Amino acid sequence: MIVSIKSVVERMSKMIRNFMNWDLRNDGKNVQDVRGKINKSIVNVFSLFMTIMLLSMAAPAGNLQAASTQRRQVQVAKTGSQKASSKAISAVMMNAYKKYLRKNVRSKKYYAIVNIGNNNAPVLLIGTQGAGRDKTGRHYTGCKIYYYKKDKVVKMDTFKDGGRWLLISKRDGQNYLTNGGSDFSVQICIKNGNIYRYQYYNNHNWMKNYENKWAASIVKKNGKVIKNIGYLDGKLYRKYTSYYTYLKKSEVIFIRNAK
C-alpha cells in the first residue's frame, strides 16, 4: 500500500509536537527513560523523513500524475498550517490592541486597525489630524501608528504628511498605508518589526527647468534614510507610484474608542 506524503507529514508534525510538549524539568521520570524517548523520537523523525524522500524519488515515469498529486498534498498541508498560524497571530494582536485601547487611549478618540504589518498582520492607528466624514464613515489625514511586538504594543511612528484621507494600497502582496498630494506619495508598512516609509516626489521636468527640483525620493527604515532613489521627473514618478494599486475598499475608516 502506498503511503501518501501528506499522511507522513502529519505524522511528523504530531511527533514533533509531542516531543516539544515533554516537560523535562518536572516529569519525575528517570533521566535514562527521557533520553531513550528523545533518541527514539529522533530515529522515528529521521525514518519518516527518509520515507518522504523515497516517495518523492520512487515515482515511476508512468506515474508522474500521482507524484504531482503528492506534491500538491504537501503544499496544501503547508499552506493550511501557515494560514492557521497567521490567524492565531492576528487574534493575539487584535486582543492586545483592544486591551491597549481600553487602558491607554481616551474615550472619544478614533482608531482603525489595518493590515499593513508583517505578512499583512494588523496594525493599530489612532487618528490625529484632518478628520472628516463622508458616506463611508470617519476619516483622517494623519495618525499615530502602533504595532504589537515582543509581547507589547509600541508606538512606531506619527504620520502627519498627508494631504488626503488615509488609504490602503498593495504592492507584491504587501499592504501599505498610503497618502500624499498632487506631487508626492507616501507608502508605509511594517516588516519584521521595522517601519518602512517610501516617499516619492514629482520634480516634473527638473533637468530642463531647475526650479522644479525640490525633493529626492527616499526610503526610510525606523525614521532613518536607508536608500536615496534620487530626483524623479514626471515619467519616473508615475512609474514608481504605479507599482502600488489601491484595494477595492481602500478607505481607512476610523471608529470611536468606547471603554
Side-chain angles (χ1 to χ4, degrees):
M1 181 178 68
I2 297 176
V3 180
S4 71
I5 294 179
K6 181 180 179 181
S7 66
V8 174
V9 171
E10 290 173 348
R11 287 166 58 191
M12 284 185 66
S13 300
K14 182 177 180 180
M15 191 171 297
I16 292 171
R17 285 197 302 270
N18 290 338
F19 172 75
M20 294 300 293
N21 288 332
W22 283 338
D23 187 349
L24 300 182
R25 295 171 298 176
N26 301 305
D27 66 357
K29 294 181 180 179
N30 186 284
V31 173
Q32 288 298 117
D33 292 338
V34 174
R35 287 178 177 172
K37 286 185 177 181
I38 293 173
N39 290 335
K40 184 178 180 181
S41 289
I42 292 172
V43 171
N44 289 337
V45 170
F46 178 75
S47 298
L48 286 169
F49 173 76
M50 291 304 298
T51 302
I52 290 176
M53 295 299 293
L54 290 172
L55 282 169
S56 62
M57 295 171 61
N63 200 21
L64 293 177
Q65 186 175 359
S68 177
T69 300
Q70 288 178 334
R71 285 195 295 270
R72 287 197 299 271
Q73 288 175 340
V74 172
Q75 187 59 44
V76 168
K78 288 173 63 179
T79 302
S81 177
Q82 290 170 353
K83 287 182 178 179
S85 176
S86 178
K87 287 183 178 180
I89 292 171
S90 293
V92 170
M93 297 177 78
M94 292 291 287
N95 188 50
Y97 293 145
K98 290 177 181 178
K99 288 182 178 179
Y100 184 85
L101 288 166
R102 286 197 301 268
K103 293 181 179 180
N104 301 285
V105 180
R106 291 187 293 111
S107 59
K108 299 183 180 180
K109 283 283 187 179
Y110 283 78
Y111 74 92
I113 296 177
V114 295
N115 298 322
I116 61 167
N118 193 52
N119 296 320
N120 293 331
V123 174
L124 173 65
L125 311 179
I126 306 294
T128 56
Q129 67 181 42
R133 183 180 292 276
D134 63 10
K135 61 181 180 181
T136 63
R138 189 179 180 90
H139 309 277
Y140 284 85
T141 62
C143 64
K144 294 179 181 180
I145 303 172
Y146 296 84
Y147 194 57
Y148 179 78
K149 63 177 185 177
K150 297 181 180 179
D151 298 325
K152 60 182 179 180
V153 177
V154 297
K155 181 182 176 184
M156 301 295 291
D157 198 2
T158 298
F159 181 77
K160 53 184 178 182
D161 305 317
R164 303 187 178 102
W165 287 340
L166 294 164
L167 301 169
I168 302 295
S169 64
K170 176 175 284 190
R171 176 181 179 180
D172 298 329
Q174 173 65 49
N175 292 339
Y176 293 81
L177 183 67
T178 300
N179 209 315
S182 58
D183 286 325
F184 72 99
S185 178
V186 181
Q187 322 289 338
I188 297 175
C189 72
I190 297 175
K191 301 177 184 177
N192 299 319
N194 301 301
I195 188 164
Y196 289 83
R197 290 171 60 115
Y198 299 79
Q199 302 178 186
Y200 304 102
Y201 300 95
N202 186 358
N203 292 272
H204 298 281
N205 59 340
W206 70 271
M207 286 185 285
K208 293 182 179 179
N209 186 353
Y210 199 76
E211 291 182 355
N212 289 330
K213 184 180 181 181
W214 68 289
S217 298
I218 55 176
V219 180
K220 288 184 176 181
K221 176 182 177 182
N222 298 330
K224 295 182 179 180
V225 176
I226 61 171
K227 183 178 182 180
N228 189 326
I229 300 172
Y231 295 91
L232 303 180
D233 61 15
K235 183 177 180 180
L236 284 175
Y237 174 78
R238 288 188 291 274
K239 176 183 177 181
Y240 274 93
T241 55
S242 69
Y243 294 146
Y244 304 87
T245 57
Y246 291 109
L247 301 186
K248 187 175 182 180
K249 293 184 178 180
S250 58
E251 302 92 350
V252 178
I253 300 172
F254 290 74
I255 60 177
R256 183 174 174 176
N257 184 34
K259 295 187 178 182

